[in-house]
């Protein structure tokens, strides 16, 4: 079973950038689809972006601002977030599943502990 640990969260002003990392151990992430989700206070968890070795899916609200990438040598998936907005404030989670990327959080089997992103106006 793979284990996931997120890092890179923090507080930035609107327009700023952050780079989140999802480091895996136990198994190679290349065997999984990896997704980034986020949950803002009082809201449901929502899909941000996902990647597999042959495919990538982005939520509409991140296109042009967020980029997901993988570093197979470090068994890590990154989320580069540019042009951050106050509405991007949330706890960001990475998750892994076998098979195709899914935008549904219920289909993911393994989750990290989350990392807080706070964007001030």
């Amino acid at each position: 079973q793979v284990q996931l640990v997120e890092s890179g969260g923090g507080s930035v002003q609107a327009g700023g950038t952050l780079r989140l990392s999802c480091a895996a151990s136990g198994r190679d992430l290349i065997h999984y689809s990896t997704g980034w989700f986020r949950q803002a206070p009082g809201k449901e968890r929502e899909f941000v972006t996902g990647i597999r070795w042959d495919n990538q899916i982005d939520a509409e609200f991140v296109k042009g601002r967020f980029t997901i990438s993988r570093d197979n040598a470090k068994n890590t998936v990154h989320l580069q977030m540019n042009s951050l907005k106050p509405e991007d404030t949330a706890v960001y989670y990475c998750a892994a599943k076998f098979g195709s990327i899914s935008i549904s959080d219920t289909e993911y089997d393994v989750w990290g502990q989350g990392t807080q992103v706070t964007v001030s106006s």
Side-chain angles (χ1 to χ4, degrees):
Q1 181 78 317
V2 66
Q3 293 87 43
L4 305 174
V5 177
E6 301 97 334
S7 62
S11 297
V12 297
Q13 291 191 327
T17 65
L18 282 173
R19 187 189 193 212
L20 306 184
S21 297
C22 174
S25 61
R27 289 200 67 178
D28 289 339
L29 264 185
I30 197 170
H31 300 297
Y32 296 80
S33 289
T34 305
W36 282 98
F37 290 80
R38 68 185 187 184
Q39 187 166 22
K43 295 187 177 181
E44 293 187 353
R45 189 157 52 188
E46 65 178 347
F47 175 80
V48 176
T49 181
I51 192 168
R52 202 177 77 156
W53 64 272
D54 60 345
N55 192 23
Q56 179 179 326
I57 298 174
D58 298 321
E60 193 64 32
F61 62 81
V62 304
K63 289 182 178 179
R65 299 192 301 128
F66 294 4
T67 303
I68 190 171
S69 63
R70 61 191 317 151
D71 184 337
N72 293 332
K74 295 184 178 180
N75 209 21
T76 299
V77 171
H78 299 290
L79 179 63
Q80 177 69 40
M81 303 189 295
N82 300 327
S83 302
L84 282 161
K85 305 175 182 180
E87 51 264 44
D88 294 320
T89 296
V91 177
Y92 283 70
Y93 299 89
C94 68
K97 66 181 293 292
F98 286 115
S100 301
I101 302 167
S102 173
I103 65 171
S104 172
D105 61 348
T106 60
E107 295 193 23
Y108 287 78
D109 306 303
V110 181
W111 290 83
Q113 82 288 353
T115 185
Q116 176 70 46
V117 170
T118 302
V119 185
S120 58
S121 57

